[in-house]
Amino acid sequence: MTEVIDVIVIGAGPAGMAAASWLQSRGVRTLVLEERPEPGGNVHAGALHGPFGASDLLGKEYAKGAAAAREFARGPVSVCHGCSIHRVDGNTVTFSQGGELRRVAAARLIVATGAMERPMPFPGWELPGVMGAGAFQLLMKQSGLVPGVDYVLAGTGPLLLLVACQLLALGSRPVAILDTNAASPFMAGARHAAAMAASPAAVWKGLGYLARIRRAGVRVIDKVVALAAEGSDSVETLRYWRRDGSMGALPAGLVLCNEGVIPNIHLTLALQCRHSWNEAQTCMAPVVDAHGETTRNGTFVAGDAAGILGAEAAPLSAMLAAAKIALDLGRITAEEADRETRAAQAALARQRRFRAFLDAAYRPGIAAVHPIADETLICRCEEVSAGALRQAVRDGALGPTQAKMFTRCGMGPCQGRICGSAMTRILSEATGESPGRIGNRNVRFPLKPLSLEELASGPDAEQADHEIIS
Amino acid sequence: MNDRPLHATPQRVWFRRADGTGTAASWLTVTVDGVPVRVREGDSVAAAVLLAGNKVYRRTLVGNRPRNPFCWMGVCFDCLVEIDGVANRQGCLVAAREGMRICRQTGLPELEAMQEND
């Protein structure tokens, strides 16, 4: 028997927690599915067991978010931790937990899968020792680890600056920060002066990061247009090229790179929601209405999975989705929904204006602007290079599906999660079509590789294959 | 340490604990390729493998190339590892538990020893 509830929320980050808590408090039967052992998402990872959950060392915002995640964990919302979504058929979600498949059906689905780091492929980025700065930040938050070798930060945007400041606070110091920004924050600031005046705290936060880095005397190398990691079994040297044609090399046993984050759209792609190209954020995002409802009826997206607005905005968009669902299910009146969401609407509008400044201030140079060298691995799983993808276009591949068949790009275990955005860019450049026209990879269930044993353990395993997807 | 693997591999430091982060923690022991490693409660399996000081986290099946975890959020699958006999688990998403048996997926031990002694 499939359990039937009101709402399934996928992801227990800031958006998922907020949506579920709000719905639960209004008597809407809600279940949260989360891959990690703890709530908090990426941004507040390590809230329960990490060493900084109850300190200000990583900043006041992390401390506040971690406290909220701990409160959520003590609260009444049912959460399945350590589970991964296997498939969604109609309104039924099948997920794997502890080596077994379970199935739950719900009237509405909220996708709160958050963001992932924007992949920024450069030659050697697959070498051990090169990792996302956000990935490293998770390791720091969960385990209290700092680099044990010389390291370099490379990329652009607020997250990279925040990680640099957190490392300095922990007594760790990078060899250098390589700034790959293809925009000018000061010119963007002049154009978005009104948005900045409306969000003074956010502006001070950013200026505080820059001041902290300058005070510490960390070497910042700007106008970097190309990177290459070199080493035999792991990275030893990070080579860089600057806009004026100069180049240099830095010793680095670790390279922590980040050019911002993009929506994690793997699930909404699999659900065949319509997606569109967001030029300001240089990424694909699901098309949603004012409440976060996608083109798939009854499926909502809350938080960064619908477009990057950050952790402060995530609970606000989650609230709008939750209120619309409560209204649809007849649990609140239109007046109540309106009253409850009015403040969130206004706050969200302010967040959007400030985000427009951030989008203009930080443009991902490596991922979106400067040329990608032919030898760069695009698909890390199947080890397909940018050159191989370009050859596929010359051989007649017009879009992601054909390029995938020609090269195996996106056919490994990650199923295109990492190479997807770079593949869209390369095909767009090679064909002259816009990224929006090139579109996304096709994603099919199962969403993650699972064993035959798990498959056989599933509820009516045979029937699942024959179900018609509504 | 009776169960030290036959192929002793070169060690390498990737990360260290930040000062003061170990004091109030509860600790547990897992094995990585048979070698006991003490980790903090809340550490992921992937963190345990890196803390064990292995030079290589895993090798790819396609090109036999070395890889470390890259995304730490369940997206890239570069942290695939065997946990308690189940292969291809995402080590970054699983919390280490007392007594957990973790094995790296680096291909044949003999081959690995040859490669790492090059």
Side-chain angles (χ1 to χ4, degrees):
Chain A
M1 268 286 287
T2 303
E3 191 188 340
V4 182
I5 57 167
D6 293 321
V7 180
I8 293 172
V9 178
I10 298 176
M17 290 191 297
S21 299
W22 193 91
L23 288 165
Q24 188 75 35
S25 71
R26 274 134 188 103
V28 180
R29 286 169 307 157
T30 306
L31 174 69
V32 181
L33 305 177
E34 166 59 43
E35 273 189 322
R36 285 222 179 88
E38 296 185 1
N42 289 326
V43 67
H44 303 130
L48 268 57
H49 291 103
F52 307 115
S55 84
D56 269 0
L57 256 177
L58 299 187
K60 287 195 168 56
E61 277 158 344
Y62 175 73
K64 200 173 136 200
R70 285 195 297 276
E71 196 187 319
F72 176 82
R74 284 192 302 268
V77 178
S78 317
V79 188
C80 282
H81 282 288
C83 67
S84 67
I85 308 300
H86 164 46
R87 58 185 302 130
V88 180
D89 306 286
N91 60 358
T92 302
V93 177
T94 308
F95 59 96
S96 141
Q97 191 187 28
E100 281 185 18
L101 286 184
R102 289 179 58 191
R103 178 180 278 191
V104 181
R108 297 290 185 278
L109 183 64
I110 299 181
V111 177
T113 49
M116 56 179 269
E117 287 186 85
R118 179 194 302 281
M120 45 181 287
F122 54 84
W125 74 313
E126 72 280 11
L127 277 173
V130 182
M131 69 191 296
F136 161 73
Q137 196 195 32
L138 284 163
L139 188 54
M140 178 169 66
K141 289 187 281 202
Q142 290 168 345
S143 301
L145 298 181
V146 293
V149 289
D150 283 346
Y151 65 99
V152 172
L153 295 172
T156 184
L159 178 60
L160 194 77
L161 300 177
L162 171 63
V163 171
C165 290
Q166 290 173 329
L167 280 162
L168 289 169
L170 295 178
S172 174
R173 204 185 144 85
V175 170
I177 299 175
L178 297 183
D179 179 359
T180 64
N181 193 2
S184 159
F186 296 101
M187 283 173 63
R191 280 200 308 278
H192 292 81
M196 294 174 81
S199 300
V203 174
W204 279 113
K205 191 171 70 179
L207 292 173
Y209 294 161
L210 296 172
R212 177 85 184 82
I213 291 164
R214 199 174 312 121
R215 223 171 30 244
V218 177
R219 188 177 169 200
V220 178
I221 301 167
D222 66 353
K223 300 186 173 64
V224 170
V225 297
L227 299 167
E230 294 168 2
S232 53
D233 254 358
S234 64
V235 59
E236 291 154 22
T237 304
L238 183 64
R239 218 170 271 288
Y240 63 90
W241 288 261
R242 298 183 68 223
R243 201 179 297 161
D244 61 9
S246 63
M247 58 171 291
L250 298 165
L254 282 168
V255 173
L256 313 178
C257 50
N258 178 277
E259 287 193 326
V261 298
I262 60 175
N264 188 350
I265 57 173
H266 201 71
L267 179 56
T268 47
L269 285 177
L271 292 172
Q272 299 185 331
C273 301
R274 201 150 75 80
H275 289 69
S276 68
W277 177 254
N278 181 330
E279 181 59 34
Q281 301 200 331
T282 336
C283 64
M284 294 284 186
V287 174
V288 294
D289 68 12
H291 313 284
E293 189 164 8
T294 65
T295 52
R296 184 183 195 264
N297 281 341
T299 297
F300 291 72
V301 185
D304 276 359
I308 304 304
L309 287 173
E312 275 183 60
L316 305 173
S317 63
M319 168 105 179
L320 302 187
K324 177 64 165 47
I325 289 172
L327 177 65
D328 285 352
L329 299 179
R331 308 300 169 82
I332 58 173
T333 64
E335 290 73 42
E336 282 170 320
D338 187 48
R339 195 173 58 239
E340 297 244 6
T341 56
R342 205 169 299 149
Q345 298 268 20
L348 199 55
R350 193 167 58 244
Q351 294 278 349
R352 283 211 170 87
R353 285 194 294 276
F354 190 71
R355 183 57 53 170
F357 156 68
L358 288 177
D359 293 339
Y362 298 101
R363 186 148 173 76
I366 302 296
V369 178
H370 307 302
I372 298 177
D374 267 344
E375 71 267 27
T376 311
L377 272 197
I378 298 301
C379 174
R380 297 166 61 99
C381 298
E382 293 290 330
E383 299 176 26
V384 179
S385 68
L389 275 175
R390 291 175 180 134
Q391 183 60 48
V393 172
R394 285 193 291 274
D395 290 344
L398 297 170
T401 304
Q402 282 172 319
K404 179 174 165 176
M405 285 193 289
F406 284 23
T407 64
R408 294 193 60 80
C409 186
M411 287 178 84
C414 101
Q415 294 184 297
R417 287 167 170 90
I418 293 288
C419 63
S421 57
M423 185 174 177
T424 297
R425 174 186 167 186
I426 286 173
L427 296 183
S428 162
E429 288 171 353
T431 59
E433 291 280 6
S434 67
R437 285 285 300 273
I438 292 292
N440 294 289
R441 64 199 185 273
N442 264 320
V443 178
R444 292 200 183 84
F445 298 118
L447 287 181
K448 289 208 170 177
L450 77 172
S451 66
L452 286 174
E453 207 174 341
E454 278 173 288
L455 206 53
S457 77
D460 23 66
E462 277 171 40
Q463 194 198 327
D465 286 339
H466 304 294
E467 250 175 27
I468 295 160
I469 298 167
S470 60
Chain B
M1 293 215 253
N2 301 324
D3 47 1
R4 180 177 285 281
L6 296 172
H7 55 292
T9 57
Q11 294 291 289
R12 137 130 224 200
V13 175
W14 293 102
F15 300 99
R16 63 174 177 82
R17 303 259 176 213
D19 296 339
T21 54
T23 44
S26 43
W27 297 83
L28 44 97
T29 304
V30 300
T31 61
V32 178
D33 295 330
V35 180
V37 182
R38 237 163 74 86
V39 296
R40 211 177 172 282
E41 186 183 9
D43 283 354
S44 61
V45 165
V49 175
L50 291 179
L51 288 167
N54 290 298
K55 197 173 164 194
V56 170
Y57 184 101
R58 76 169 184 113
R59 281 188 182 274
T60 64
L61 289 175
V62 176
N64 194 36
R65 298 205 213 188
R67 287 287 168 83
N68 269 19
F70 181 75
C71 81
W72 223 273
M73 54 185 78
V75 176
C76 76
F77 289 72
D78 266 331
C79 64
L80 292 181
V81 69
E82 185 186 304
I83 304 172
D84 288 334
V86 181
N88 294 322
R89 303 216 37 209
Q90 290 180 284
C92 78
L93 293 178
V94 181
R97 296 261 174 268
E98 180 62 39
M100 216 174 223
R101 285 169 296 118
I102 303 162
C103 292
R104 291 180 301 147
Q105 301 184 173
T106 50
L108 295 170
E110 299 79 18
L111 193 67
E112 184 196 334
M114 275 164 53
Q115 281 159 341
E116 295 198 347
N117 291 332
D118 276 350

